[in-house]
Amino acid sequence: MALRIDGKAISQIIKDEVKEEVAELKKRGVDVCLAVIQVGDDPASSVYVGNKKKACEYTGIRSEAYNLPESVSEEELLALVDRLNNDSAVNGILVQLPLPAHISESRVIEAISPEKDADGFHIQSAGALMTGERGFLPCTPAGIIELIKRSGTSIEGKECVVVGRSNIVGKPAAMLLLRENGTVTICHSKTKNLREVTKRADILVVAVGKPKLIDASYVKEGAVVIDVGIHRNSENKLCGDVDFDSVSPIVSAITPVPGGVGPMTVAMLMKNCAEAARLGAEKTGKL
Ligand code: NAD
């Protein structure tokens, strides 16, 4: 029987750790603050922003919400980012994606100070991840590593296969697995014989965006499977990129959807904010 990796429980432990750190920082005169910018009122974005606000309240992080109309210009948005970059009371800045088509996401993300890059999407954070320097880690991939390690699997020396090469999940997840000394293969839409490659994996991370693409025929017996996909099926129920019912009988551990990777992203965001505040305070001699 496979271990069901409980992302809800693990994310709760991480949020409790952050809560302690935030309280400790507060005792030493350092407040932690996250600024969240949302453009327009896309319902999915509003749910994500709401979850981040709730997690801030839980961990003791002050959150500032900036709701800009869909019609806001790129210049106006960049001006707000610049103002928050220069506001010493703000430690983390997050721009909820996607942005409307008339605004360049990459220009906005690059405008965020790398020292306040709570989402870990800035090109400097990506470079730091690549070279092993200190930098903020993108939250979902960082959460994947926490799920694997905290559920008792060591990564070192393992055959790790990541399916998906997006900048926000696949690529950084692969870099993090490499940093943990895994032997890493990245698969994507042009990979030939996907099944043969995924079947080699001791640790299989799937971030494809295709409901139930991966069934038992893609998975080695005893593997650890991390399912990043989130989809709503025709009955309005959530499912992942992995066919849980098919895969779970043959693996040693697997994340469910919901309740696996999903809750980890916000927990890791809170962790990044606390770290940004601590590093900022150290830099300015407050700590
Ligand atoms: P994306 O669309 O940017 O990238 C998908 C990747 O999958 C691409 O690199 C593509 O090459 C690869 N791919 C597509 N079809 C394939 C196939 N048939 N075989 C092999 N590879 C294939 O998606 P993303 O942003 O990385 O997100 C992936 C999934 O993870 C989505 O379902 C998304 O909703 C989910 N997601 C969840 C969280 C979270 O839980 N917090 C965060 C981000 C994304």
Side-chain angles (χ1 to χ4, degrees), residues 15 44-57 266 269-270:
K15 281 189 283 183
S45 290
S46 299
V47 170
Y48 292 135
V49 167
N51 287 342
K52 288 164 190 173
K53 191 171 166 227
K54 253 193 259 165
C56 280
E57 277 162 18
V266 174
L269 173 69
M270 299 298 109

Side-chain angles (χ1 to χ4, degrees), residues 3-14 139-155 169 176-177 180 203-206 224-229 253-268 271:
L3 167 72
R4 199 184 163 97
I5 301 175
D6 189 343
K8 244 179 136 176
I10 296 174
S11 67
Q12 185 61 46
I13 294 169
I14 292 172
C139 302
T140 303
I144 291 169
I145 300 297
E146 292 291 332
L147 281 177
I148 297 170
K149 292 197 338 191
R150 292 187 190 231
S151 61
T153 297
S154 95
I155 298 168
V169 189
L176 284 171
L177 288 163
E180 298 290 333
I203 298 172
L204 178 62
V205 175
V206 188
V224 172
V225 177
I226 307 293
D227 185 358
V228 188
I254 183 168
T255 57
V257 178
V261 175
M264 295 299 290
T265 303
V266 174
M268 300 314 287
K271 197 166 167 33

Side-chain angles (χ1 to χ4, degrees), residues 112-127:
I112 295 171
S113 161
E115 291 172 4
K116 300 188 179 189
D117 180 30
D119 249 342
F121 290 165
H122 194 282
I123 203 153
Q124 192 169 312
S125 305

Side-chain angles (χ1 to χ4, degrees), residues 162-165 186-192 194:
V162 179
V163 192
R165 58 172 164 184
I186 305 175
C187 300
H188 46 79
S189 54
K190 304 280 186 263
T191 297
K192 296 211 167 81
L194 179 65

Side-chain angles (χ1 to χ4, degrees), residues 125-145:
S125 305
L129 170 57
M130 192 81 176
T131 54
E133 303 289 319
R134 192 150 82 168
F136 294 107
L137 299 178
C139 302
T140 303
I144 291 169
I145 300 297

